[in-house]
Amino acid sequence: MKAEFQSYDVCVIGLGYIGLPTASIFATRGLKVFGVDVRADVVEIINGGGLHFHEPDLDVIVRAAVGSGNLRAGTTPVAARTFILAVPTPFSVGPKGEKIPDLSFVEQASRAIAPFVEPGNLVILESTSPVGTTELMRDWLLDERRKLVAAGRLALAGTGEQFLFAHCPERVLPGNMLKELVSNDRIAGGLTPEAGRVAKELYLRFCTGEIFVTDARTAEMAKLTENSFRDVNIAFANELSLICDHLGIDVWELIRLANRHPRVKILQPGPGVGGHCIAVDPWFIVHSAPEVSRLIRTAREVNDAKPHHIVARVRAAAAKLNQPVIACLGLAFKADIDDLRESPAMEITLEIARSGAGEVLAVEPHVTTPPKALVGVERVALVSLDEALRRADIVVLLVNHRQFLAVDRARLAGKIVIDTRGVWR
Ligand code: SAJ
């Protein structure tokens, strides 16, 4: 058992897809890091040098970080020079269907670290957040400190000027996180110029990209802008796919040809947009300026409607057969990862099963036990790729996992194939 540190350099709150790689990389660069997660099972796995989700090469770096003694995890924060909040920022759905940012995890984390933060410490919000959240983080932290003083559990609450607050959004791509964590440019947005500068110094420990210092609100909006830009561009491709279906044109051939223009770079249509970022973040912009975010809102609606279009195609094909077996290939939100969050593939598979169109065989090479969402749903089973291809009358390719790209096309002969990714053409 390694000796406890006298003090930590960094305390990372939230050991998920962003917090764990960030904590680990700081630890491998010699900083003493304490990671905090509300889930005791996650803490135990990490302290054992393991990880609770799949990301290429992350296991190696977590093992190295824990093995060196520089990374430890626990369920409550500790004192540190810098605190990094990497907690979820989902949205909730209001009574009229409007999407409302849910900042409860940021608030909980801000209040949880309040007793441990000392004047001069830096507090960084890494979670993708609506504009103004870094200010809220400061306000929640100070409010909690005032309550602790009133309860006699803290000597001095302090003022906003005594601490440094910054927003430094992560920009890593799931599936390529470790490379991008190091090499991507970053933005350090301080509530004060000093906070931005100190945050930049910290990330220079591992970041080889450029780090740009700005104010917190610009940094918040920059991150939302990046993901909205991608969402709008994918929506364009998805809308084209609907138009092409209508006109009997192969959309992938169309895009391939249009992209030969020197200033055209259309993205790829698919079954919809998933994940916890691109399908969520544009709503934060819409929520903050609903009257003037028309394009961004429409793009979200186009992408959210795409799964239903795929289901309609599958149902139309199934209606021509008697009790068909339908293979749904892929449940993850994109290729070669195991993340099922906000996955259109999962949504489509469930909707097909519930529609009673036929017996559904789901295939997901990255999971071994049936995901919770499928448990208890009738007429759907998680099976191997081989079984699905053997038994299916209709094959729906939902995720371009490399295992599916390698499928011998002869095995698809005589079946109805709905290739939502255009990879089997
Ligand atoms: N998709 C398409 N067509 C495309 C590209 C993507 O349908 O041409 C779909 C994917 O299948 C997936 C979804 O979009 O369902 C999102 O995938 P993605 O690879 O575009 O992005 P994410 O969600 O994995 O990661 C994004 C990245 N943002 C940008 O590229 C602007 C990443 O850099 C961010 O760090 C991440 O969001 C985040 O955490 O915010």
Side-chain angles (χ1 to χ4, degrees):
M1 182 78 185
K2 301 246 164 23
E4 281 292 330
F5 298 121
Q6 290 305 304
S7 70
Y8 284 90
D9 296 305
V10 184
C11 177
V12 178
I13 315 295
L15 294 175
Y17 288 82
I18 298 304
L20 183 57
T22 304
S24 306
I25 203 140
F26 273 126
T28 58
R29 301 299 156 105
L31 296 189
K32 309 291 183 208
V33 183
F34 193 84
V36 180
D37 203 282
V38 286
R39 280 178 55 187
D41 58 330
V42 165
V43 166
E44 197 183 322
I45 292 169
I46 293 167
N47 280 334
L51 63 159
H52 54 293
F53 58 89
H54 174 75
E55 171 64 31
D57 303 327
L58 184 58
D59 54 341
V60 178
I61 179 166
V62 171
R63 224 177 9 252
V66 173
S68 70
N70 278 354
L71 174 63
R72 289 178 55 81
T75 51
T76 46
V78 296
R81 272 191 283 283
T82 299
F83 293 81
I84 297 179
L85 273 51
V87 294
T89 45
F91 61 69
S92 58
V93 181
K96 291 183 194 136
E98 70 277 25
K99 312 291 192 300
I100 305 162
D102 173 2
L103 299 180
S104 57
F105 298 105
V106 178
E107 177 172 358
Q108 279 164 31
S110 308
R111 292 187 186 280
I113 62 172
F116 304 97
V117 179
E118 286 175 14
N121 285 173
L122 171 66
V123 183
I124 295 174
L125 177 65
E126 273 214 19
S127 317
T128 305
S129 301
V131 173
T133 309
T134 311
E135 289 149 75
L136 287 172
M137 173 177 80
R138 173 199 60 200
D139 296 346
W140 285 320
L141 189 144
L142 291 174
D143 177 64
E144 189 64 22
R145 287 179 67 87
R146 282 191 289 270
K147 285 184 182 154
L148 290 167
V149 170
R153 292 172 51 204
L154 193 70
L156 272 179
T159 64
E161 290 72 44
Q162 289 177 297
F163 309 100
L164 301 169
F165 297 96
H167 180 54
C168 303
E170 55 74 22
R171 288 167 146 174
V172 293
L173 192 74
N176 195 26
M177 276 187 181
L178 287 181
K179 185 176 168 292
E180 294 208 356
L181 195 58
V182 173
S183 62
N184 283 359
D185 290 347
R186 287 193 85 111
I187 300 173
L191 281 191
T192 58
E194 192 198 352
R197 260 196 324 273
V198 176
K200 175 177 173 170
E201 287 301 314
L202 179 76
Y203 288 101
L204 281 173
R205 293 297 290 242
F206 68 76
C207 184
T208 59
E210 268 191 79
I211 304 177
F212 298 91
V213 175
T214 184
D215 60 88
R217 291 174 80 88
T218 306
E220 288 159 347
M221 189 60 186
K223 170 68 199 215
L224 301 179
T225 300
E226 292 155 18
N227 280 354
S228 297
F229 172 85
R230 195 152 168 86
D231 197 43
V232 168
N233 281 280
I234 299 170
F236 182 74
N238 277 332
E239 186 160 295
L240 276 181
S241 77
L242 302 187
I243 296 166
C244 285
D245 278 356
H246 192 68
L247 299 177
I249 293 169
D250 177 340
V251 69
W252 285 281
E253 172 73 349
L254 171 85
I255 291 174
R256 188 177 73 81
L257 295 176
N259 280 347
R260 300 307 297 225
H261 183 286
R263 283 173 296 284
V264 174
K265 183 81 192 80
I266 303 168
L267 294 180
Q268 296 299 302
V273 168
H276 205 66
C277 310
I278 296 193
V280 174
D281 304 348
W283 288 121
F284 294 170
I285 297 182
V286 175
H287 181 260
S288 61
E291 301 300 325
V292 287
S293 312
R294 289 187 299 157
L295 178 65
I296 293 171
R297 178 205 302 273
T298 304
R300 270 292 62 245
E301 287 167 356
V302 167
N303 286 333
D304 273 354
K306 192 69 196 287
H308 308 302
H309 175 78
I310 303 294
V311 172
R313 272 182 68 193
V314 175
R315 290 184 69 182
K320 294 183 191 132
L321 305 174
N322 184 23
Q323 292 298 309
V325 175
I326 305 165
C328 288
L329 304 193
L331 293 172
F333 86 82
K334 66 176 195 174
D336 303 325
I337 61 166
D338 67 347
D339 192 343
L340 310 183
R341 294 180 301 170
E342 318 285 335
S343 171
M346 176 68 90
E347 186 184 345
I348 290 166
T349 303
L350 283 171
E351 217 176 304
I352 295 172
R354 288 187 180 127
S355 76
E359 180 188 350
V360 176
L361 304 179
V363 181
E364 178 43 71
H366 296 92
V367 302
T368 43
T369 46
K372 250 194 242 150
L374 293 188
V375 176
V377 181
E378 279 178 36
R379 296 174 67 75
V380 57
L382 186 72
V383 303
S384 69
L385 176 59
D386 181 62
E387 179 179 345
L389 291 177
R390 201 162 14 87
R391 293 186 47 211
D393 304 301
I394 302 174
V395 179
V396 191
L397 181 95
L398 294 170
V399 186
N400 42 339
H401 287 318
R402 61 172 65 97
Q403 292 89 337
F404 303 153
L405 304 189
V407 163
D408 180 358
R409 303 300 188 272
R411 299 201 65 185
L412 303 173
K415 302 178 191 296
I416 297 174
V417 175
I418 298 177
D419 173 4
T420 70
R421 300 277 180 177
V423 290
W424 279 346
R425 298 166 53 250

